[in-house]
Amino acid sequence: MTLSRTACPLDCPDSCSLEVDVREGRVVSISGTHENPLTRGFICSKVRRFPQHLYHSSRITSPALREGSKGGGTFRPISWDRAYELIADQIIETRERFGAETILPLSYGGSNGLVSDQSADRRFFYRLGASRLARTVCAAPTTSAATGLYGKMAGVSPTDYRHSRLIVVWGANPSVSGIHFAAEIQNAHRAGSRLAVVDPRRIPLARQADLHLAPRPGTDLPLALSLLRWLFENGHADEDFLRKHATGADQLRRRAEPWTFQRAARVCDVPAAGIEELARLYAEHSPAVIRCGWGLERNRNGGSAVAAVLALPAVAGKFGVRGGGYTLSNSGAYDLAPEKLLDAPEPATRLVNMNRVGQTLLEAEPPVRLLFVYNCNPLATLPRQDLVRRGLEREDLFTIVFDQVLTDTARYADLLLPAPTFLEQHDLARGYGAMLLHPVLPVIPPLGQARSNFEVFTELGRRLGLSRPGDLEDPVEYRRALLGGGNGEVRFPAAGFAPIQFVDVFPKTPDRRAHLVPPALDAEAPGGLYSF
């Protein structure tokens, strides 16, 4: 028996530290360790059962060419050398006949590791001059709002919720999507912190909360504006903080002014008394923290709703103390700057909205001729599944699918490539709830002929003449360079990093101030920011 240490890079805020039991070269079990102070030795059932995925019969173990119809054919194994040759030939022919922009890379968060995603692959497609992908399928409105208001400032660490006297969970369900975060909230609540939940559903935390508001879906914006109005109108706005650390407070005040509790209650279908209770709890308790999730972005005014929620701690003066402020994504805690390592500036090529991939495959001019799918399963996850399927069925579209298993999308591939799981390769995991970095280490060799994204896209770059002297071509070297050199171990943020907003970290805006009505977002939103 061998107990190996690694970490989970999957798309989850927690970034668990792991211990893997390997016997006779086979993964037997996976458990958590205490290296991540948030993990505290327990992990989710998905990762605990990951050996079932690792050894499932649907694993792709060698490159393979389709024989028969798209979606209904079989796949004949071929060598990696033949696969590289086919890809290079297809790319060269497509680029020469139709232009490089008719090549579309399609990827997302199937591997959230910083080595396996947006590294050698981005370098390859940027230098090739392929179409670019706007990865808008998730978190685009929340990211825009957080960037516009605070420049993606690092938020309150989950481990600091124990210091909060009021916790507001708004549009998040940590019991399902961040189990360690849920435990921190429950522990703080048991220790005396008040808990309020804003969610249309009675999620597990709502059943334990002191207050649960269930607004009609899509009405988070007027609810948040009514809270802002009350803070301004009743002397609970921190005018000193707003003068020193914010812009746009007067504009925000004017835009919130029409939203009384009574009007918001009618629109949101919640009692006005409940909204007032939340307002008073928030004004009267400090430290107070808002855990803002991604649930409220999924409607036509979702970006404005997130902005209004994130404006609350600035208006109420909840920053500057441990356990006070907000948490959304903590990906802004890191300054790794991979673009400086890749020597591949983003080209001004066609930008494809990921939410419209189906329409793009059927309607774009010039048409997409070569589709390279990796780190995602678009047929199962993208909008307008009917159009995505019709696009994949095109006989004049050459589709490469680079994945671990035979997904829905992979059945429509012309060429399959076998990818390793995180247990079979080097990577770097970044928590966006927990603020720490983990080296991800292989605990077993890759199954079959699986090869990593970094290796494959580096080799394709060589074969297509896109490599340059000085390119980082080894994933371990790339990870070490991301971390600033040395031995490649975690340096910052380290385990236990828990900043106080507006003390240890400030907005990553040019003036280090909160922009409550950022001009770019105001111009982009129909009717202006905070319009409902």
Side-chain angles (χ1 to χ4, degrees):
M1 178 179 73
T2 302
L3 295 178
S4 301
R5 294 294 179 95
T6 188
C8 177
L10 300 182
D11 193 355
C12 164
D14 296 356
S15 188
C16 293
S17 51
L18 303 176
E19 185 173 74
V20 184
D21 184 351
V22 180
R23 303 184 187 185
E24 298 181 354
R26 188 178 178 90
V27 174
V28 175
S29 64
I30 304 174
S31 57
T33 72
H34 292 262
E35 290 165 276
N36 180 343
L38 184 62
T39 299
R40 297 199 309 276
F42 71 95
I43 60 174
C44 70
S45 59
K46 175 179 178 177
V47 173
R48 190 176 298 280
R49 297 170 183 165
F50 201 80
Q52 299 174 27
H53 172 90
L54 184 65
Y55 299 112
H56 197 270
S57 59
S58 64
R59 277 296 300 266
I60 301 170
T61 56
S62 73
L65 269 175
R66 176 177 54 83
E67 294 181 335
S69 63
K70 290 194 174 189
T74 58
F75 291 91
R76 173 174 55 84
I78 60 173
S79 68
W80 265 107
D81 192 61
R82 177 61 180 144
Y84 284 135
E85 181 182 325
L86 280 170
I87 296 170
D89 288 347
Q90 285 288 334
I91 288 177
I92 291 168
E93 180 183 0
T94 301
R95 183 174 56 184
E96 291 179 350
R97 289 185 62 193
F98 306 109
E101 284 188 308
T102 65
I103 299 168
L104 176 63
L106 181 53
S107 69
Y108 198 65
S111 172
N112 256 30
L114 294 175
V115 176
S116 57
D117 184 38
Q118 297 291 285
S119 57
D121 53 325
R122 179 165 62 177
R123 178 175 65 194
F124 174 74
F125 287 113
Y126 279 8
R127 289 180 182 174
L128 181 63
S131 286
R132 295 167 297 146
L133 184 72
R135 301 171 78 174
T136 49
V137 74
C138 179
T142 49
T143 299
S144 294
T147 303
L149 268 69
Y150 298 103
K152 290 195 75 176
M153 174 176 62
V156 178
S157 168
T159 55
D160 267 353
Y161 276 49
R162 68 192 70 178
H163 302 288
S164 305
R165 305 319 304 149
L166 172 69
I167 299 169
V168 181
V169 178
W170 196 320
N173 187 4
S175 303
V176 173
S177 59
I179 56 175
H180 305 94
F181 214 143
E184 295 290 340
I185 293 171
Q186 290 167 330
N187 289 339
H189 190 219
R190 282 193 286 266
S193 175
R194 304 295 294 275
L195 173 62
V197 172
V198 181
D199 197 293
R201 301 183 305 149
R202 191 170 172 79
I203 62 172
L205 286 177
R207 300 184 197 122
Q208 307 163 33
D210 301 287
L211 174 65
H212 174 213
L213 292 182
R216 181 181 293 127
T219 65
D220 299 272
L221 175 57
L223 178 58
L225 288 173
S226 72
L227 298 174
L228 289 164
R229 178 190 185 276
W230 187 86
L231 291 169
F232 279 120
E233 296 297 321
N234 289 273
H236 295 292
D238 189 332
E239 303 289 355
D240 185 56
F241 177 88
L242 293 172
R243 277 193 302 273
K244 292 178 180 177
H245 298 290
T247 68
D250 290 338
Q251 289 176 279
L252 178 59
R253 185 196 304 260
R254 288 193 296 272
R255 297 184 191 198
E257 197 278 331
W259 288 99
T260 64
F261 289 154
Q262 291 71 26
R263 184 185 178 196
R266 290 193 298 270
V267 173
C268 301
D269 197 20
V270 296
I275 304 177
E276 182 173 357
E277 182 180 356
L278 177 58
R280 292 189 181 279
L281 283 171
Y282 192 61
E284 294 168 3
H285 288 79
S286 188
V289 64
I290 296 176
R291 169 54 169 132
C292 182
W294 291 264
L296 59 165
E297 77 170 13
R298 308 276 180 176
N299 59 79
R300 69 183 66 185
N301 54 53
S304 286
V306 173
V309 171
L310 295 185
L312 284 164
V315 173
K318 298 301 181 183
F319 291 121
V321 292
R322 189 164 297 283
Y326 72 85
T327 308
L328 181 58
S329 168
N330 279 327
S331 59
Y334 309 89
D335 293 307
L336 299 175
E339 63 278 358
K340 296 180 181 178
L341 301 175
L342 296 175
D343 188 23
E346 185 172 4
T349 53
R350 175 170 61 181
L351 185 64
V352 174
N353 185 333
M354 194 172 187
N355 286 313
R356 295 182 58 82
V357 162
Q359 292 92 323
T360 298
L361 293 178
L362 294 173
E363 302 169 4
E365 289 295 338
V368 176
R369 300 287 182 174
L370 189 149
L371 183 69
F372 204 127
V373 181
Y374 61 103
N375 289 354
C376 70
N377 180 10
L379 187 54
T381 58
L382 295 189
R384 292 305 305 269
Q385 185 184 59
D386 56 333
L387 300 184
V388 176
R389 179 179 288 107
R390 283 170 52 198
L392 292 172
E393 289 172 343
R394 282 175 42 204
E395 290 299 332
D396 63 337
L397 175 69
F398 189 83
T399 301
I400 303 162
V401 175
F402 185 13
D403 211 321
Q404 301 161 6
V405 297
L406 193 65
T407 64
D408 312 61
T409 306
R411 298 179 189 279
Y412 291 84
D414 295 284
L415 175 64
L416 292 178
L417 302 176
T421 68
F422 72 89
L423 296 176
E424 303 161 82
Q425 62 179 321
H426 289 277
D427 215 325
L428 182 64
R430 172 185 62 181
Y432 58 92
M435 283 180 274
L436 73 163
L437 296 163
H438 281 300
V440 177
L441 307 173
V443 300
I444 58 170
L447 267 64
Q449 299 179 49
R451 296 187 181 181
S452 71
N453 291 359
F454 202 95
E455 178 182 1
V456 168
F457 287 111
T458 297
E459 178 62 24
L460 287 173
R462 291 194 200 101
R463 293 189 178 227
L464 285 161
L466 300 175
S467 297
R468 297 175 184 171
D471 280 351
L472 291 166
E473 297 186 341
D474 178 82
V476 177
E477 291 179 2
Y478 180 75
R479 184 178 68 199
R480 185 178 297 120
L482 270 178
L483 294 170
N487 60 5
E489 294 300 317
V490 174
R491 297 197 307 169
F492 173 82
F497 177 65
I500 300 173
Q501 292 176 309
F502 285 88
V503 173
D504 304 311
V505 292
F506 289 84
K508 294 183 177 181
T509 53
D511 58 2
R512 302 218 317 171
R513 290 156 71 93
H515 296 174
L516 302 181
V517 186
L521 291 188
D522 198 28
E524 181 181 337
L529 193 63
Y530 306 121
S531 294
F532 181 76

